[in-house]
Amino acid sequence: MNNNTVTFKIKEWTRGIDWKLLIFLLLFLNVKLAVKIAAVILAYVLRPDFRFGIHLKKSRIPLFYFLIMGIAVLNWILSGVYTDINYDLTVLTGFFFWILCILAFQQIRVAVENNPVENIHRTIMVFFLINAIFSFAVYLAIMWDAGSMNPYRYQGQFQKYFMGTGDYIKGVTLDTSTTNSVLNAFAVVYFLLRNQFKMLLLCMAVLVLTGSNTTNLLLLGAFIFLFIFKSNKPQKSLIVICLAILIAFLAGISPQNNTYVEGAWQKMFGKTTATHLLPAKIIPLEQRPDSSLSPAEKKQKLAHAYLDSMYVLIHQKDFTPASAVLSPNISLSAKPLVVKDDIHSAGFQHKNDTTVLEKNLIKFVKEKKTDLPISGTAIPRPRIPGKLISFKQTLTYLKSHPATILTGTGIGNFSSKLAFRVTAMKIAGSYPQRFAYINDAFKKNHLDLYLYYFTNVDDLHSIANSPNSTYDQLLSEYGIAGLACFVIFYIGFFTKHLKKLTYGIPLLLLMAGCFLFEYWFEQLSIVIFFELLLLLNIKETNPNAAA
């Protein structure tokens, strides 16, 4: 095959890519809100299509998005707090996020409608290739910095990487590693059922590098479903291979993840395992590797080396090389003994440094101690995860305030990324301090719970202890009406084609699980990719159907 033939094939293959869609995905999935806004503006400049087609039975966009804003407006009017300018801005900010969801959905819908199915498939493949390149580049940089082929076991630099290595694998979105892991979980299911096994293994590799135990569990559930109900023999074999990759990673590359999960399980049920640590052995600064030293310690080590060298020069006449006093019977061919790093020394221990954000949160707790029943008091650590406590808080509040059961407490008032953002404490993005808004119900429940765990030791900073959940958001801020709208007009928007869907079915199950542990609609990331894959699957399995 000559160069001209290769070039021709590349041009033919890339010609089928929807570059407008690819650019939109790369920009809209970026972690920065300003980039997301720019992505939407650019998308409508390049592809100006405002056919939203709002109809009860055949709406082009899920009616859920419009109804949820309607519930928010109703609560806003009935609450009577529209005289509070800070809350007015909170509501408008919340509307802005829902409008972005609508505009983004419209763009991917138009892309799917205007392109052959194969072009969209090709565009999605290129996206995940770019994401894999970004992810592996970061991993190589970590290996270089740690000086280790397996940074998941590297405990130097005060455990800068170690079991937290996966947190750095954020992919092309530069969002959290959880976002990267979920996107690749979607990709694993998608490429598996399309029999694109090379891409499947590539995305599985990226997924395991993120080290997301929550996503791994959700994917395991999807694999079980696929293995039993929706896969042929080659696909079953690939599922087994993917599980083997995951097990190999957990057992051989990052075994501390198993320890972490086991420890969390034991804490959940009040069980403890006795551990016996060896006493720390103090190693002189001169004998410790540079990789385990702080910048100040490196300077100190360099100063010691300089002083020792000067001493030798000054007292050179009294200095006798070690080789001169060696016995002639001693062989110099023997391999010298190299002192190994002691993992019990200071440079191998994790530092629970308090960040600027944590300092601000701690300051808030001290100032508002009387309003914070959990973080403001020295209560024993609960046995169950914080996420379960947050659901209990929501149900307790709704039970004690029956008027909120139907339509909720109102947008930004109890459980949402918006509620955290408008505190102006930079928990979920920046917000002007002079317009800060904190509802009392939010402060005494989910904010209090978040402060309790995330101003504590680093081990408690996990998804399991975060109150973030889309289901919690819909129930607490939009009530039973909000949950019903979600089930009927969002999930129902896709499931009316359930019988003909292929990879769409396990993706629905995956997304349903993902909604448990993050405010994904407000995150403006994985939901749009989920919607793209579902719209694509509907088109290829039933070309004449309108979603």
Side-chain angles (χ1 to χ4, degrees), residues 478-511:
Y478 305 92
I480 294 175
L483 270 180
C485 286
F486 172 73
V487 173
I488 298 170
F489 297 105
Y490 187 78
I491 300 299
F493 183 85
F494 301 107
T495 54
K496 61 187 176 183
H497 303 286
L498 194 63
K499 292 182 179 179
K500 293 188 177 182
L501 294 179
T502 54
Y503 52 82
I505 296 175
L507 285 178
L508 274 165
L509 296 175
L510 259 179
M511 193 70 244

mmCIF file of all heavy atoms in Angstrom, residues 478-511:
data_model
loop_
_atom_site.group_PDB
_atom_site.id
_atom_site.type_symbol
_atom_site.label_atom_id
_atom_site.label_comp_id
_atom_site.label_asym_id
_atom_site.label_seq_id
_atom_site.Cartn_x
_atom_site.Cartn_y
_atom_site.Cartn_z
ATOM 1 N N TYR A 478 -38.224 20.072 43.844
ATOM 2 C CA TYR A 478 -39.359 20.077 42.916
ATOM 3 C C TYR A 478 -40.470 19.120 43.348
ATOM 4 O O TYR A 478 -41.496 19.019 42.668
ATOM 5 C CB TYR A 478 -38.890 19.727 41.501
ATOM 6 C CG TYR A 478 -37.783 20.637 41.007
ATOM 7 C CD1 TYR A 478 -36.445 20.299 41.186
ATOM 8 C CD2 TYR A 478 -38.077 21.844 40.382
ATOM 9 C CE1 TYR A 478 -35.418 21.137 40.753
ATOM 10 C CE2 TYR A 478 -37.062 22.686 39.942
ATOM 11 C CZ TYR A 478 -35.732 22.327 40.140
ATOM 12 O OH TYR A 478 -34.721 23.163 39.710
ATOM 13 N N GLY A 479 -40.253 18.408 44.432
ATOM 14 C CA GLY A 479 -41.270 17.552 45.021
ATOM 15 C C GLY A 479 -41.623 16.330 44.192
ATOM 16 O O GLY A 479 -40.930 15.958 43.240
ATOM 17 N N ILE A 480 -42.736 15.721 44.569
ATOM 18 C CA ILE A 480 -43.220 14.533 43.855
ATOM 19 C C ILE A 480 -43.528 14.879 42.401
ATOM 20 O O ILE A 480 -43.329 14.068 41.498
ATOM 21 C CB ILE A 480 -44.464 13.956 44.558
ATOM 22 C CG1 ILE A 480 -44.080 13.414 45.937
ATOM 23 C CG2 ILE A 480 -45.104 12.857 43.722
ATOM 24 C CD1 ILE A 480 -45.247 12.921 46.758
ATOM 25 N N ALA A 481 -43.971 16.103 42.167
ATOM 26 C CA ALA A 481 -44.266 16.546 40.804
ATOM 27 C C ALA A 481 -43.002 16.536 39.954
ATOM 28 O O ALA A 481 -43.032 16.122 38.786
ATOM 29 C CB ALA A 481 -44.868 17.952 40.828
ATOM 30 N N GLY A 482 -41.894 16.961 40.526
ATOM 31 C CA GLY A 482 -40.624 16.970 39.800
ATOM 32 C C GLY A 482 -40.151 15.576 39.465
ATOM 33 O O GLY A 482 -39.694 15.313 38.335
ATOM 34 N N LEU A 483 -40.267 14.649 40.426
ATOM 35 C CA LEU A 483 -39.872 13.261 40.170
ATOM 36 C C LEU A 483 -40.765 12.627 39.109
ATOM 37 O O LEU A 483 -40.288 11.888 38.243
ATOM 38 C CB LEU A 483 -39.943 12.448 41.466
ATOM 39 C CG LEU A 483 -38.685 12.383 42.332
ATOM 40 C CD1 LEU A 483 -38.938 11.532 43.569
ATOM 41 C CD2 LEU A 483 -37.493 11.845 41.550
ATOM 42 N N ALA A 484 -42.051 12.924 39.180
ATOM 43 C CA ALA A 484 -42.981 12.367 38.192
ATOM 44 C C ALA A 484 -42.661 12.885 36.792
ATOM 45 O O ALA A 484 -42.676 12.120 35.815
ATOM 46 C CB ALA A 484 -44.416 12.730 38.579
ATOM 47 N N CYS A 485 -42.360 14.179 36.689
ATOM 48 C CA CYS A 485 -41.986 14.749 35.391
ATOM 49 C C CYS A 485 -40.726 14.089 34.848
ATOM 50 O O CYS A 485 -40.612 13.827 33.647
ATOM 51 C CB CYS A 485 -41.761 16.256 35.524
ATOM 52 S SG CYS A 485 -43.270 17.209 35.711
ATOM 53 N N PHE A 486 -39.784 13.798 35.732
ATOM 54 C CA PHE A 486 -38.540 13.157 35.321
ATOM 55 C C PHE A 486 -38.806 11.767 34.754
ATOM 56 O O PHE A 486 -38.303 11.413 33.685
ATOM 57 C CB PHE A 486 -37.590 13.070 36.521
ATOM 58 C CG PHE A 486 -36.350 12.258 36.268
ATOM 59 C CD1 PHE A 486 -35.330 12.748 35.468
ATOM 60 C CD2 PHE A 486 -36.207 10.998 36.829
ATOM 61 C CE1 PHE A 486 -34.184 12.000 35.225
ATOM 62 C CE2 PHE A 486 -35.067 10.246 36.594
ATOM 63 C CZ PHE A 486 -34.063 10.750 35.791
ATOM 64 N N VAL A 487 -39.613 10.985 35.457
ATOM 65 C CA VAL A 487 -39.895 9.607 35.028
ATOM 66 C C VAL A 487 -40.718 9.583 33.744
ATOM 67 O O VAL A 487 -40.406 8.856 32.787
ATOM 68 C CB VAL A 487 -40.621 8.832 36.149
ATOM 69 C CG1 VAL A 487 -41.062 7.454 35.638
ATOM 70 C CG2 VAL A 487 -39.730 8.685 37.368
ATOM 71 N N ILE A 488 -41.761 10.413 33.695
ATOM 72 C CA ILE A 488 -42.694 10.358 32.563
ATOM 73 C C ILE A 488 -42.145 11.070 31.326
ATOM 74 O O ILE A 488 -42.212 10.543 30.204
ATOM 75 C CB ILE A 488 -44.055 10.976 32.965
ATOM 76 C CG1 ILE A 488 -44.679 10.170 34.101
ATOM 77 C CG2 ILE A 488 -44.999 11.028 31.758
ATOM 78 C CD1 ILE A 488 -45.893 10.830 34.735
ATOM 79 N N PHE A 489 -41.591 12.265 31.533
ATOM 80 C CA PHE A 489 -41.244 13.102 30.389
ATOM 81 C C PHE A 489 -39.749 13.150 30.061
ATOM 82 O O PHE A 489 -39.361 13.780 29.086
ATOM 83 C CB PHE A 489 -41.762 14.533 30.616
ATOM 84 C CG PHE A 489 -43.252 14.616 30.711
ATOM 85 C CD1 PHE A 489 -43.873 14.805 31.942
ATOM 86 C CD2 PHE A 489 -44.051 14.477 29.582
ATOM 87 C CE1 PHE A 489 -45.253 14.876 32.040
ATOM 88 C CE2 PHE A 489 -45.432 14.545 29.669
ATOM 89 C CZ PHE A 489 -46.035 14.744 30.903
ATOM 90 N N TYR A 490 -38.923 12.493 30.885
ATOM 91 C CA TYR A 490 -37.497 12.387 30.512
ATOM 92 C C TYR A 490 -37.141 10.942 30.214
ATOM 93 O O TYR A 490 -36.788 10.606 29.084
ATOM 94 C CB TYR A 490 -36.586 12.946 31.605
ATOM 95 C CG TYR A 490 -35.134 12.997 31.161
ATOM 96 C CD1 TYR A 490 -34.696 14.008 30.315
ATOM 97 C CD2 TYR A 490 -34.212 12.013 31.546
ATOM 98 C CE1 TYR A 490 -33.375 14.054 29.870
ATOM 99 C CE2 TYR A 490 -32.902 12.047 31.105
ATOM 100 C CZ TYR A 490 -32.485 13.064 30.275
ATOM 101 O OH TYR A 490 -31.180 13.095 29.822
ATOM 102 N N ILE A 491 -37.281 10.088 31.215
ATOM 103 C CA ILE A 491 -37.016 8.667 30.982
ATOM 104 C C ILE A 491 -37.987 8.132 29.929
ATOM 105 O O ILE A 491 -37.597 7.392 29.008
ATOM 106 C CB ILE A 491 -37.151 7.860 32.286
ATOM 107 C CG1 ILE A 491 -36.144 8.363 33.342
ATOM 108 C CG2 ILE A 491 -36.928 6.369 32.011
ATOM 109 C CD1 ILE A 491 -34.699 8.239 32.941
ATOM 110 N N GLY A 492 -39.253 8.544 30.013
ATOM 111 C CA GLY A 492 -40.252 8.095 29.057
ATOM 112 C C GLY A 492 -39.981 8.568 27.638
ATOM 113 O O GLY A 492 -40.388 7.916 26.667
ATOM 114 N N PHE A 493 -39.303 9.703 27.496
ATOM 115 C CA PHE A 493 -38.951 10.232 26.181
ATOM 116 C C PHE A 493 -38.114 9.225 25.392
ATOM 117 O O PHE A 493 -38.233 9.111 24.171
ATOM 118 C CB PHE A 493 -38.163 11.531 26.373
ATOM 119 C CG PHE A 493 -37.781 12.231 25.096
ATOM 120 C CD1 PHE A 493 -38.667 13.102 24.484
ATOM 121 C CD2 PHE A 493 -36.543 12.031 24.511
ATOM 122 C CE1 PHE A 493 -38.316 13.766 23.305
ATOM 123 C CE2 PHE A 493 -36.181 12.679 23.344
ATOM 124 C CZ PHE A 493 -37.079 13.548 22.740
ATOM 125 N N PHE A 494 -37.262 8.473 26.100
ATOM 126 C CA PHE A 494 -36.390 7.498 25.445
ATOM 127 C C PHE A 494 -36.965 6.083 25.485
ATOM 128 O O PHE A 494 -36.779 5.308 24.546
ATOM 129 C CB PHE A 494 -35.012 7.502 26.118
ATOM 130 C CG PHE A 494 -34.319 8.834 26.078
ATOM 131 C CD1 PHE A 494 -34.199 9.614 27.221
ATOM 132 C CD2 PHE A 494 -33.780 9.326 24.896
ATOM 133 C CE1 PHE A 494 -33.569 10.850 27.193
ATOM 134 C CE2 PHE A 494 -33.140 10.557 24.849
ATOM 135 C CZ PHE A 494 -33.044 11.324 25.998
ATOM 136 N N THR A 495 -37.665 5.730 26.568
ATOM 137 C CA THR A 495 -38.119 4.344 26.722
ATOM 138 C C THR A 495 -39.306 3.992 25.847
ATOM 139 O O THR A 495 -39.673 2.812 25.756
ATOM 140 C CB THR A 495 -38.472 4.048 28.190
ATOM 141 O OG1 THR A 495 -39.426 5.014 28.658
ATOM 142 C CG2 THR A 495 -37.231 4.107 29.069
ATOM 143 N N LYS A 496 -39.936 4.983 25.192
ATOM 144 C CA LYS A 496 -41.025 4.630 24.290
ATOM 145 C C LYS A 496 -40.523 3.845 23.080
ATOM 146 O O LYS A 496 -41.306 3.245 22.343
ATOM 147 C CB LYS A 496 -41.786 5.877 23.840
ATOM 148 C CG LYS A 496 -40.976 6.902 23.084
ATOM 149 C CD LYS A 496 -41.803 8.169 22.858
ATOM 150 C CE LYS A 496 -40.985 9.260 22.179
ATOM 151 N NZ LYS A 496 -41.749 10.516 22.016
ATOM 152 N N HIS A 497 -39.191 3.846 22.888
ATOM 153 C CA HIS A 497 -38.579 3.043 21.818
ATOM 154 C C HIS A 497 -37.784 1.857 22.405
ATOM 155 O O HIS A 497 -36.925 1.305 21.745
ATOM 156 C CB HIS A 497 -37.629 3.903 20.988
ATOM 157 C CG HIS A 497 -38.285 5.104 20.385
ATOM 158 N ND1 HIS A 497 -39.146 5.039 19.312
ATOM 159 C CD2 HIS A 497 -38.212 6.417 20.725
ATOM 160 C CE1 HIS A 497 -39.571 6.257 19.006
ATOM 161 N NE2 HIS A 497 -39.019 7.104 19.847
ATOM 162 N N LEU A 498 -38.107 1.502 23.647
ATOM 163 C CA LEU A 498 -37.299 0.536 24.390
ATOM 164 C C LEU A 498 -37.128 -0.797 23.674
ATOM 165 O O LEU A 498 -36.042 -1.386 23.672
ATOM 166 C CB LEU A 498 -37.922 0.304 25.769
ATOM 167 C CG LEU A 498 -37.056 -0.422 26.803
ATOM 168 C CD1 LEU A 498 -35.822 0.406 27.120
ATOM 169 C CD2 LEU A 498 -37.850 -0.694 28.070
ATOM 170 N N LYS A 499 -38.157 -1.280 23.030
ATOM 171 C CA LYS A 499 -38.116 -2.612 22.416
ATOM 172 C C LYS A 499 -37.085 -2.713 21.295
ATOM 173 O O LYS A 499 -36.576 -3.799 21.011
ATOM 174 C CB LYS A 499 -39.501 -2.989 21.881
ATOM 175 C CG LYS A 499 -40.528 -3.223 22.982
ATOM 176 C CD LYS A 499 -41.874 -3.639 22.398
ATOM 177 C CE LYS A 499 -42.890 -3.885 23.495
ATOM 178 N NZ LYS A 499 -44.221 -4.273 22.944
ATOM 179 N N LYS A 500 -36.774 -1.589 20.654
ATOM 180 C CA LYS A 500 -35.850 -1.622 19.526
ATOM 181 C C LYS A 500 -34.439 -1.151 19.877
ATOM 182 O O LYS A 500 -33.540 -1.226 19.040
ATOM 183 C CB LYS A 500 -36.405 -0.777 18.377
ATOM 184 C CG LYS A 500 -37.672 -1.354 17.760
ATOM 185 C CD LYS A 500 -38.089 -0.600 16.515
ATOM 186 C CE LYS A 500 -39.313 -1.237 15.875
ATOM 187 N NZ LYS A 500 -39.713 -0.534 14.636
ATOM 188 N N LEU A 501 -34.247 -0.670 21.082
ATOM 189 C CA LEU A 501 -32.932 -0.169 21.469
ATOM 190 C C LEU A 501 -31.945 -1.312 21.671
ATOM 191 O O LEU A 501 -32.328 -2.416 22.075
ATOM 192 C CB LEU A 501 -33.027 0.656 22.751
ATOM 193 C CG LEU A 501 -33.809 1.974 22.680
ATOM 194 C CD1 LEU A 501 -33.817 2.651 24.043
ATOM 195 C CD2 LEU A 501 -33.202 2.896 21.631
ATOM 196 N N THR A 502 -30.676 -1.056 21.387
ATOM 197 C CA THR A 502 -29.615 -2.056 21.623
ATOM 198 C C THR A 502 -28.750 -1.583 22.796
ATOM 199 O O THR A 502 -29.046 -1.897 23.945
ATOM 200 C CB THR A 502 -28.765 -2.247 20.356
ATOM 201 O OG1 THR A 502 -28.266 -0.973 19.912
ATOM 202 C CG2 THR A 502 -29.588 -2.873 19.252
ATOM 203 N N TYR A 503 -27.703 -0.813 22.495
ATOM 204 C CA TYR A 503 -26.852 -0.305 23.582
ATOM 205 C C TYR A 503 -27.579 0.748 24.421
ATOM 206 O O TYR A 503 -27.137 1.100 25.517
ATOM 207 C CB TYR A 503 -25.537 0.265 23.038
ATOM 208 C CG TYR A 503 -25.684 1.293 21.936
ATOM 209 C CD1 TYR A 503 -25.953 2.617 22.222
ATOM 210 C CD2 TYR A 503 -25.528 0.928 20.595
ATOM 211 C CE1 TYR A 503 -26.086 3.568 21.207
ATOM 212 C CE2 TYR A 503 -25.660 1.867 19.576
ATOM 213 C CZ TYR A 503 -25.933 3.180 19.889
ATOM 214 O OH TYR A 503 -26.060 4.111 18.891
ATOM 215 N N GLY A 504 -28.722 1.241 23.929
ATOM 216 C CA GLY A 504 -29.478 2.242 24.667
ATOM 217 C C GLY A 504 -30.035 1.727 25.977
ATOM 218 O O GLY A 504 -30.142 2.471 26.959
ATOM 219 N N ILE A 505 -30.379 0.436 26.043
ATOM 220 C CA ILE A 505 -30.971 -0.123 27.260
ATOM 221 C C ILE A 505 -29.969 -0.156 28.406
ATOM 222 O O ILE A 505 -30.248 0.375 29.492
ATOM 223 C CB ILE A 505 -31.555 -1.521 26.982
ATOM 224 C CG1 ILE A 505 -32.707 -1.410 25.976
ATOM 225 C CG2 ILE A 505 -32.039 -2.179 28.276
ATOM 226 C CD1 ILE A 505 -33.288 -2.737 25.546
ATOM 227 N N PRO A 506 -28.778 -0.760 28.240
ATOM 228 C CA PRO A 506 -27.815 -0.729 29.350
ATOM 229 C C PRO A 506 -27.340 0.691 29.670
ATOM 230 O O PRO A 506 -26.997 0.979 30.827
ATOM 231 C CB PRO A 506 -26.659 -1.599 28.844
ATOM 232 C CG PRO A 506 -26.825 -1.691 27.373
ATOM 233 C CD PRO A 506 -28.285 -1.593 27.126
ATOM 234 N N LEU A 507 -27.329 1.582 28.667
ATOM 235 C CA LEU A 507 -26.959 2.973 28.952
ATOM 236 C C LEU A 507 -27.998 3.648 29.837
ATOM 237 O O LEU A 507 -27.660 4.448 30.720
ATOM 238 C CB LEU A 507 -26.790 3.753 27.646
ATOM 239 C CG LEU A 507 -25.513 3.457 26.845
ATOM 240 C CD1 LEU A 507 -25.505 4.265 25.556
ATOM 241 C CD2 LEU A 507 -24.271 3.763 27.661
ATOM 242 N N LEU A 508 -29.263 3.333 29.620
ATOM 243 C CA LEU A 508 -30.319 3.844 30.496
ATOM 244 C C LEU A 508 -30.120 3.362 31.931
ATOM 245 O O LEU A 508 -30.275 4.138 32.883
ATOM 246 C CB LEU A 508 -31.689 3.392 29.980
ATOM 247 C CG LEU A 508 -32.345 4.265 28.908
ATOM 248 C CD1 LEU A 508 -33.496 3.522 28.238
ATOM 249 C CD2 LEU A 508 -32.852 5.566 29.517
ATOM 250 N N LEU A 509 -29.770 2.098 32.085
ATOM 251 C CA LEU A 509 -29.524 1.550 33.421
ATOM 252 C C LEU A 509 -28.312 2.222 34.069
ATOM 253 O O LEU A 509 -28.336 2.558 35.265
ATOM 254 C CB LEU A 509 -29.300 0.037 33.336
ATOM 255 C CG LEU A 509 -30.500 -0.800 32.855
ATOM 256 C CD1 LEU A 509 -30.105 -2.262 32.706
ATOM 257 C CD2 LEU A 509 -31.663 -0.659 33.837
ATOM 258 N N LEU A 510 -27.253 2.420 33.285
ATOM 259 C CA LEU A 510 -26.058 3.089 33.801
ATOM 260 C C LEU A 510 -26.373 4.510 34.246
ATOM 261 O O LEU A 510 -25.966 4.946 35.324
ATOM 262 C CB LEU A 510 -24.974 3.122 32.717
ATOM 263 C CG LEU A 510 -23.849 2.111 32.784
ATOM 264 C CD1 LEU A 510 -22.897 2.307 31.604
ATOM 265 C CD2 LEU A 510 -23.072 2.243 34.093
ATOM 266 N N MET A 511 -27.092 5.247 33.402
ATOM 267 C CA MET A 511 -27.412 6.632 33.718
ATOM 268 C C MET A 511 -28.307 6.715 34.944
ATOM 269 O O MET A 511 -28.154 7.618 35.777
ATOM 270 C CB MET A 511 -28.099 7.285 32.511
ATOM 271 C CG MET A 511 -28.214 8.792 32.597
ATOM 272 S SD MET A 511 -26.633 9.654 32.426
ATOM 273 C CE MET A 511 -26.487 10.429 34.022
#
